[in-house]
Amino acid sequence: MIEVVNKLMDELRAGNIAWLVLFLSGGIIWHCITNFKQIQDFLHARRKQKVDRLIEVLKCEHLDEPFKKFLQSQLNKEYWYYVTDISTENKYRDLIISLYNSSKGELSFNHFRRANRHLKFADGKVSIVLKWLDTFGYYMNFGIAIFFGLAGLLVICLSLAVVQPDDLLQILPFVALSGFSIVIALFSLSRTTAVYSARVIKKLIDNQSAQS
């Protein structure tokens, strides 16, 4: 391991900036992966602070009844957003719950969470809005995921066939490149879930409309 580090330092002293960029990129990706839970907890805590402030204000005995009802409504709204990641008024919250219950357990609530930006609330109804750009992005990200996923696997196979197993310094660039490709593939694949979930919900809404 010490020998590998010494060779890396020699490469950097020789002005091989590609190595520096490679390991900085790898370090950033590794940092994001290992600290994802902490980042998620930080964002979750910030949202919880608003809920806590509303609870604290509602404890005040000097609030008049109309204002207290308004704060209670806001608290219900923020609790709903805190739990589901869906920001909407209370009446549409009830519609989403009703729509979810109508699936009789066949539809996971995560579909509503993922399709949040495609949900439209108007005229007392919940609907799904999918523009042509959303559909284009769905197929584009799916294609990118397949391309980079196969590319990452191909790089690993080529490195095992070309590079000697005991030469770690030559294997590392292939491993880093393969890992980078796979991360891009997974990220692109994750970008397709919103549209997929929106389609599932839209199908449920269409089925209900056909039956009524």
Side-chain angles (χ1 to χ4, degrees), residues 15-104:
N16 193 343
I17 306 299
W19 281 99
L20 180 61
V21 174
L22 179 65
F23 281 93
L24 281 177
S25 302
I28 292 172
I29 293 173
W30 179 253
H31 177 76
C32 291
I33 292 174
T34 55
N35 292 279
F36 177 77
K37 185 65 169 60
Q38 288 84 344
I39 295 172
Q40 192 177 41
D41 290 342
F42 171 75
L43 296 175
H44 209 55
R46 284 180 61 86
R47 191 180 300 168
K48 184 66 166 58
Q49 287 176 358
K50 192 169 184 179
V51 173
D52 292 337
R53 285 197 298 268
L54 285 168
I55 293 175
E56 184 178 355
V57 172
L58 278 168
K59 292 178 181 178
C60 179
E61 298 177 355
H62 305 289
L63 301 177
D64 57 41
E65 197 61 30
F67 187 43
K68 185 178 289 188
K69 287 182 178 180
F70 169 75
L71 290 176
Q72 185 64 51
S73 176
Q74 291 299 306
L75 179 60
N76 290 337
K77 180 181 176 180
E78 291 301 327
Y79 256 128
W80 167 258
Y81 181 47
Y82 175 70
V83 173
T84 66
D85 295 325
I86 302 174
S87 179
T88 183
E89 297 299 328
N90 293 335
K91 63 178 181 179
Y92 293 113
R93 173 200 66 190
D94 297 336
L95 287 175
I96 291 175
I97 294 174
S98 176
L99 186 61
Y100 166 70
N101 290 334
S102 68
S103 69
K104 299 178 180 179

Side-chain angles (χ1 to χ4, degrees), residues 25 29 33 137-138 140-153 175-192:
S25 302
I29 293 173
I33 292 174
Y138 171 81
M140 183 185 70
N141 282 309
F142 195 74
I144 291 174
I146 293 176
F147 174 80
F148 278 97
L150 292 176
L153 294 175
V175 173
L177 182 60
S178 175
F180 185 67
S181 298
I182 291 174
V183 167
I184 292 177
L186 293 175
F187 175 77
S188 299
L189 193 61
S190 70
R191 303 298 295 175
T192 65

Side-chain angles (χ1 to χ4, degrees), residues 118-163:
H118 298 295
L119 293 174
K120 181 182 178 182
F121 307 101
D123 301 326
K125 295 181 180 180
V126 179
S127 59
I128 293 293
V129 176
L130 284 174
K131 300 178 181 179
W132 71 267
L133 194 60
D134 297 321
T135 304
F136 173 77
Y138 171 81
Y139 287 109
M140 183 185 70
N141 282 309
F142 195 74
I144 291 174
I146 293 176
F147 174 80
F148 278 97
L150 292 176
L153 294 175
L154 183 61
V155 168
I156 290 179
C157 294
L158 287 176
S159 65
L160 293 176
V162 175
V163 181

